[in-house]
Amino acid sequence: MGKTKKEKKSHSVAYELFGWLVYIAIIVGLTWLIITFVGQRTSVSGHSMETTLQDGDQLIVVKISYRFRDPKRYDIIVFPYQYEENVYYIKRIIGLPGETVEIISGKVYINGELLDEPYLSEEPTGDYGPYQVPEDSYFMLGDNRAVSKDSRYWHNTYVKKDKIIAKAFVMYWPSLKWLG
């Protein structure tokens, strides 16, 4: 004997509800995968990267960038602050593995050659180094050298590649600006 209209209707409602639950579970799962492994939104806090990035700027950072290639000089990256949990820094890669970095009268020299830094708004000052960047590590500086707490001041001067969380990709608020 066949099903009544009422049984068919409740059966189709159950299938419809199940379909929606599966759909929602897939969306939640994909969102988690993207946020965990691909990219996420982050906010700039502080003034160490001015004028490239301002306090309060909203960014999209890409977490998978360095699974396929090594970090490059001038990349702006996110990494955990080594002295405090759940605090993350955003800085620019200046020195690559194996290089010697020296700062003389505020100008950065890589293996004795002056580094071109067109993103700086003020002429930096001070002498630091020389620093010999270890293999699998990077020397980091903020763009606003007068206030940036960076490789020049850290007890553990370098950021190891496996500590790099993401590469800054695009600033989307308050204006659109491609970062890498």
Side-chain angles (χ1 to χ4, degrees):
M1 181 169 209
K3 294 184 181 181
T4 66
K5 284 186 179 184
K6 189 174 182 179
E7 290 173 328
K8 286 180 183 177
K9 187 174 182 178
S10 80
H11 188 66
S12 69
V13 169
Y15 272 126
E16 184 74 19
L17 183 59
F18 179 74
W20 275 103
L21 290 174
V22 168
Y23 178 72
I24 290 169
I26 289 170
I27 296 298
V28 168
L30 287 174
T31 301
W32 178 82
L33 285 171
I34 289 170
I35 290 171
T36 303
F37 297 109
V38 179
Q40 73 181 54
R41 182 190 70 79
T42 192
S43 180
V44 175
S45 176
H47 304 281
S48 72
M49 286 300 292
E50 290 178 354
T51 61
T52 305
L53 299 171
Q54 309 294 320
D55 186 45
D57 284 352
Q58 301 295 307
L59 311 176
I60 299 292
V61 297
V62 180
K63 293 180 172 184
I64 63 170
S65 292
Y66 302 125
R67 291 184 192 263
F68 304 108
R69 71 169 181 85
D70 286 335
K72 294 184 173 143
R73 186 177 341 276
Y74 303 119
D75 285 356
I76 299 172
I77 64 163
V78 177
F79 56 95
Y81 181 55
Q82 55 189 327
Y83 304 115
E84 195 174 336
E85 281 191 44
N86 298 318
V87 174
Y88 299 90
Y89 269 15
I90 185 163
K91 303 285 181 198
R92 188 180 298 274
I93 294 175
I94 298 296
L96 302 175
E99 293 182 332
T100 299
V101 179
E102 188 166 15
I103 303 169
I104 303 169
S105 299
K107 297 195 182 321
V108 176
Y109 293 85
I110 304 291
N111 298 329
E113 292 188 31
L114 181 63
L115 182 66
D116 182 32
E117 297 188 282
Y119 44 81
L120 297 178
S121 63
E122 293 181 14
E123 196 66 31
T125 60
D127 296 326
Y128 303 90
Y131 304 97
Q132 182 64 43
V133 184
E135 289 304 314
D136 207 33
S137 296
Y138 298 86
F139 186 87
M140 312 300 300
L141 291 174
D143 290 358
N144 185 358
R145 307 275 160 83
V147 301
S148 182
K149 298 299 178 218
D150 47 40
S151 286
R152 299 171 294 169
Y153 303 106
W154 300 331
H155 177 69
N156 296 321
T157 307
Y158 312 100
V159 175
K160 291 194 139 308
K161 182 180 178 187
D162 65 354
K163 297 294 184 190
I164 297 173
I165 294 173
K167 177 183 181 210
F169 178 64
V170 65
M171 177 179 67
Y172 66 89
W173 181 262
S175 61
L176 186 63
K177 178 191 224 178
W178 297 103
L179 302 169

